[in-house]
Amino acid sequence: GESVGLHLPTLSVQEGDNSIINCAYSNSASDYFIWYKQESGKGPQFIIDIRSNMDKRQGQRVTVLLNKTVKHLSLQIAATQPGDSAVYFCAEKSPYNFNKFYFGSGTKLNVKP
Amino acid sequence: EPEVTQTPSHQVTQMGQEVILRCVPISNHLYFYWYRQILGQKVEFLVSFYNNEISEKSEIFDDQFSVERPDGSNFTLKIRSTKLEDSAMYFCASVSTDTQYFGPGTRLTVL
């Protein structure tokens, strides 16, 4: 089956710095990816998504980059704020079953004031 | 902004008891999901539901689990005889095109 994994379990950054969170996926046929933010005790919150026909997509203070050659995507958060502290994980939509998503285990982002 | 809601927020039950977790998906969404997240672990797919029937289920979703859409708004997950290892956060999600929107979750504690 597909697997979605994250390179680092914990990332600590200084407030105001940029953060980069990485995710690897295993299925080259996957064509849709989502980044979620999960604060303690809450449900995953949609941040940004990207389809495989794009390399980059920007939102408000966030950018997702997709490198299909190495099956890697990243989430960049500009000017990280204390409110960005959370677990971030990527989700991959199964290319074989449009009903199924696979989730990575997450990276905990700690923002130091 | 419409959102997925779930009740209760926390459910404590004795092993062997039945529990029903409730979700109200976003009203114009057609696909619904249940996920489980054991403390400190990744979100795991349980089941997807479309057009009043299960469209996909994982190996976790055994005979102890069932889902229903008893009316036009609610979507429920039933665990018939809870086990200690069922203790987890259970999230409902609904889909618009591709994007999944999650509810706040129900924390199930089995004693």
Side-chain angles (χ1 to χ4, degrees), chain B residues 20-90:
Chain B
I20 298 176
L21 311 182
R22 292 182 167 81
C23 169
V24 179
I26 296 173
S27 61
N28 61 345
H29 290 186
L30 298 177
Y31 292 91
F32 314 116
Y33 298 77
W34 281 102
Y35 290 90
R36 179 181 81 176
Q37 186 177 33
I38 295 171
L39 184 64
Q41 298 186 21
K42 67 172 70 175
V43 174
E44 300 174 287
F45 170 81
L46 290 177
V47 65
S48 59
F49 192 85
Y50 171 72
N51 202 27
N52 289 321
E53 61 182 27
I54 291 173
S55 53
E56 180 76 18
K57 59 183 181 179
S58 73
E59 58 276 8
I60 302 170
F61 195 88
D62 60 22
D63 291 343
Q64 292 300 312
F65 291 87
S66 63
V67 288
E68 275 189 342
R69 192 136 194 260
D71 54 45
S73 59
N74 290 287
F75 179 49
T76 63
L77 174 70
K78 182 192 290 185
I79 309 175
R80 290 189 181 82
S81 179
T82 50
K83 303 186 285 286
L84 294 176
E85 53 265 36
D86 293 327
S87 294
M89 285 290 291
Y90 288 82

Side-chain angles (χ1 to χ4, degrees), chain A residues 2-4 30-36 46 49-51 89-104, chain B residues 31-35 42-48 56 58 93-102:
Chain A
E2 291 86 350
S3 68
V4 181
S30 296
D31 61 0
Y32 180 67
F33 306 88
I34 305 174
W35 277 102
Y36 286 96
F46 173 89
D49 59 359
I50 190 167
R51 296 191 182 278
F89 54 88
C90 60
E92 169 189 10
K93 185 177 180 183
S94 171
Y96 310 118
N97 186 330
F98 69 95
N99 276 307
K100 207 163 184 178
F101 287 79
Y102 297 92
F103 292 82
Chain B
Y31 292 91
F32 314 116
Y33 298 77
W34 281 102
Y35 290 90
K42 67 172 70 175
V43 174
E44 300 174 287
F45 170 81
L46 290 177
V47 65
S48 59
E56 180 76 18
S58 73
S94 66
V95 170
S96 167
T97 56
D98 288 319
T99 305
Q100 289 200 338
Y101 295 91
F102 282 79

Side-chain angles (χ1 to χ4, degrees), chain A residues 60-92:
Chain A
Q60 189 175 14
R61 280 201 307 119
V62 294
T63 301
V64 55
L65 299 178
L66 177 62
N67 185 330
K68 295 180 283 293
T69 304
V70 295
K71 293 181 287 187
H72 179 271
L73 67 159
S74 65
L75 176 71
Q76 300 179 0
I77 304 173
T80 315
Q81 302 168 0
D84 295 327
S85 293
V87 174
Y88 292 80
F89 54 88
C90 60
E92 169 189 10

Side-chain angles (χ1 to χ4, degrees), chain A residues 45-46, chain B residues 1-5 26 101:
Chain A
Q45 177 187 359
F46 173 89
Chain B
E1 185 177 318
E3 58 183 17
V4 177
T5 60
I26 296 173
Y101 295 91

